[in-house]
Amino acid sequence: MELGEESPQHVRQVLLFFVFLGGSLVCSETRRYSVAEETETGSFIANVVKDIGSGVEDLAVRGARVIFDDYKSYLWLDPQTGNLLLNEELDREALCDLTEPCILHFQVLLENPLQFFQAELWVKDINDHTPTFLDKDILLKISEGTAPGTSFQMESAQDLDVGKNGVQNYTLSPNPHFHLKLQHSDKGRKYPELVLDQSLDREKEPEIRLTLTALDGGSPPRSGTAVVRVLVLDINDNAPKFERPVYEVQVPENSPLDALVIKVSATDLDAGINGELTYSFSHVSKDTRKTFEIHPISGEVHLKALLDFELVQSYTINIQAIDGGSLSGKSAILVRVVDVNDNPPEIVITSLTSPIPENSSPEMVVAVFSLRDQDSGDNGKMVCSIQDHLPFLLKPTFKNFYTLVTERPLDRETITEYNVTITVTDLGTPRLKTQHNITLLVSDVNDNAPAFTQTSYTLFLRENNSPALHIGSVSATDRDAGANAQVTYSLLPPHDPQLPLASLVSINADNGHLFALRALDFEALQAFEFGVGATDRGSPALSSQALVRVQVLDANDNSPFVLYPLQNGSAPCTELVPRAAEPGYLVSKVVAVDADSGQNAWLSYQLLRATEPGLFGVWAHNGEVRTARLLGERDAAKHRLVVLVKDNGEPALSASVTLHVLLVEGFSQPYLPLPEAAAEQAQADPLTVYLVIALASVSSLFLFSVLAFIAVRLCRRSRAAWAGGCSVPEGHFPGHLVDVSGTGTLSQSYQYEVCLTGGSGTSEFKFLKPVIPSLPPQNPEKEESHTFLNGFGFN
């Protein structure tokens, strides 16, 4: 295999290895192994277990690998035995040409922790090539005047083998004119020279044929032959002479084909054919002949093939000038190849970790890669970098190996992936750059708890709902991904242990929908609160809470309830009205409450039936029953009134109450309130009726009775002073005793004077007269009655 016919090199990825604690261990001692070329593939070379000081079981665990400097796999390491085996047949001539010894450098790499063991593989030569003369027919022109003892340099045979397998000896077929003499070059190669034993006589023998045989030192030896034709010429006593013994020239490696390398020149003092010179190469290799050519007449040397500094840095070309008389002059050309920056840097990724957990600690190794530039000097020096503002750092390790490590913790919720561009630039002119892009994904960890869209939710539910009614939803989101973002909803134990939450509501664990499990009663439960939890499916699971308040809305499901007069089936309550009462006289007051709230508890009163229509009226908003006109003698003494109490719900519910009114004689004439004042008071009354205020009104009536009883007792004690007189408590009743609301109690603007008369063991109401302390004098009675009837809404 010829060196120039090598197949293109392919960059191979080095198997995965990791850097332990940011460093590596390199063994300084270099192991040496040897193998003969053309040894069969799979042959045993050596066992490295003892050399690396590790057990066989560690080789597989630590991922032992063999890496040559040119990234080719010449050897294979069996991790089960530690044997180094030949991975392919080696051709020493293709690997090293004429270089001896032929050494291939490699490293044995162990991971966890990372260790490098340097070693050398010596490829030994075998005698697999036969010596070959480049010219099978060698022509020598020797003047007949040549003196005995003159030597004539011959072309040496080429043998690709080296050492003792190279050309070791030459022999010449027996003849009376010449014998063979071996010469040694400065590189240790042997070449033959013909030495003239006796003078030639062209007339006797114009041409002499000899057989030149080259022998190598192999066992058995190989040989090659060439025919030497000696033409005897006339005397030529001047040999050619070059201007310089050595020509030196520098040629850039990017020079084009047929470029002029140098022009050499020699002179010969002879004339005629003996002075005509022919230039040629002498003792040059096959590669040199393929790369350069010399013009035989002009002496110009041109390029036949492109130069490559990375393969050959210099050439030594032996040249000769031969005149027409076969005399020659010798010189040499030293061609130095000048490197140009024609090789971009190479990046080989040997290890890559993706995805990366977002909770990875700093200094985690993400990628391992190596760099190579085949140029030399500044052209082969490299600078490696990545983009700024990335949470990664580049760290050099061993030789041209680099590691990409994390600089700080990552956050998948902020950035899910990173595109890292590794840029390698050499320092040549012009600078060449290579970029390699890698995509690093960030994997999720459960570091975000679910978050509710609201910290608290308020839901409204009308009472008497149907069971399993959807009443609302809660929602929570989780910034994590996958199972870490799957949210499960649940009810939390209530703070109030008396609240039967499990029987009131339920929640869909998947979507957060809330359902009422049974019908609710506003009058029993107006509102309740409970907590809901949202838990993700990460490990460990994270959760959050939110407060849900359910407000039960009232429905009109309760009829008004009459507190006064009582309707308990006992003797009916009879109201006494003096026949002298004027229009607007307060007969009684219907007091009712409604268990509902809001609009459903607004009560209105109306007179449904009466014994004598038009005689009595009911105030719609407070339930006061008053006379509508003057009482006459013809009016019946007993009257039955049916009052309807109706709420303002939809639909409206109602209740009725029956009043018995008895018209009697003997009561004092009451002072009637002015219609205008009554109308103003009616407008000032609130419409909302509350149960508590109604109870307060009943209490006021009770206290009023107690005060009346006290007044009677006082009248008994003081009747000696003024017989038939009456005692009136001074001052007004406390306001809270006659508090008014829309529930139907007495209006606050009405306070009463009570006159108690003494009798034989009994007391009774003498008269009941309303007092309006701040009211100015009024118009005549007829005008009062008319205005009163128009100002109050009687039914």
Side-chain angles (χ1 to χ4, degrees), residues 458-480:
T458 301
L459 306 179
F460 296 93
L461 174 63
R462 190 166 297 278
E463 65 173 330
N464 303 322
N465 58 285
S466 59
L469 177 67
H470 176 241
I471 62 175
S473 301
V474 296
S475 177
T477 57
D478 196 313
R479 296 178 61 199
D480 293 321

Side-chain angles (χ1 to χ4, degrees), residues 416-597:
T416 58
E417 68 177 32
Y418 293 90
N419 290 317
V420 181
T421 301
I422 302 173
T423 302
V424 182
T425 306
D426 61 23
L427 302 181
T429 302
R431 295 195 173 188
L432 299 181
K433 179 174 66 176
T434 299
Q435 291 183 333
H436 186 87
N437 296 320
I438 58 175
T439 299
L440 300 176
L441 302 178
V442 182
S443 61
D444 183 55
V445 297
N446 194 26
D447 58 349
N448 289 279
F452 282 94
T453 56
Q454 300 173 220
T455 56
S456 63
Y457 297 81
T458 301
L459 306 179
F460 296 93
L461 174 63
R462 190 166 297 278
E463 65 173 330
N464 303 322
N465 58 285
S466 59
L469 177 67
H470 176 241
I471 62 175
S473 301
V474 296
S475 177
T477 57
D478 196 313
R479 296 178 61 199
D480 293 321
N484 296 332
Q486 296 178 5
V487 179
T488 301
Y489 300 91
S490 62
L491 297 177
L492 301 179
H495 297 294
D496 183 4
Q498 303 299 324
L499 180 65
L501 182 63
S503 63
L504 294 178
V505 293
S506 67
I507 189 170
N508 188 309
D510 296 326
N511 53 29
H513 290 178
L514 291 167
F515 300 89
L517 296 180
R518 60 180 175 86
L520 300 181
D521 185 2
F522 173 81
E523 288 70 37
L525 183 64
Q526 287 79 34
F528 60 94
E529 294 181 349
F530 59 90
V532 294
T535 306
D536 59 30
R537 297 185 182 179
S539 180
L542 301 179
S543 62
S544 61
Q545 301 178 3
L547 180 66
V548 178
R549 176 178 177 82
V550 178
Q551 188 74 42
V552 182
L553 302 179
D554 183 45
N556 193 25
D557 57 347
N558 291 280
S559 300
F561 178 75
V562 178
L563 298 176
Y564 182 85
L566 297 176
Q567 303 292 306
N568 54 5
S570 62
C573 178
T574 303
E575 304 289 344
L576 300 179
V577 178
R579 284 187 177 274
E582 297 186 1
Y585 177 83
L586 178 63
V587 177
S588 182
K589 185 178 180 73
V590 177
V591 179
V593 294
D594 195 313
D596 294 320
S597 65

Side-chain angles (χ1 to χ4, degrees), residues 8 23 35 39 59 99 135 173 211 256 258 282 295 341 360-361 396 409 423 425 437 488 520 576 640 650 680:
V35 63
T39 300
L59 296 182
T99 303
D135 293 327
S173 58
T211 299
D258 203 35
S282 173
H295 194 276
N341 195 24
S360 300
S361 60
T423 302
T425 306
N437 296 320
T488 301
L520 300 181
L576 300 179
R640 183 174 180 270
E650 183 64 36
E680 291 176 0

Side-chain angles (χ1 to χ4, degrees), residues 12-20 23-26 61-67 71 107-116 348-353 365-371 395-404:
R12 299 186 179 180
Q13 287 191 340
V14 181
L15 297 177
L16 175 67
F17 68 93
F18 295 92
V19 178
F20 178 69
S24 61
L25 180 63
V26 180
V61 174
R62 298 179 62 185
R65 299 292 184 271
V66 174
I67 301 177
Y71 297 100
Q107 296 86 31
V108 178
L109 277 71
L110 296 178
E111 302 171 4
N112 301 319
L114 180 64
Q115 288 182 294
F116 290 81
V348 179
I349 302 294
T350 59
S351 171
L352 180 63
T353 302
V365 177
V366 176
V368 180
F369 60 93
S370 61
L371 309 178
K395 286 190 173 184
T397 54
F398 173 72
K399 286 190 176 180
N400 289 329
F401 283 91
Y402 285 80
T403 57
L404 180 67

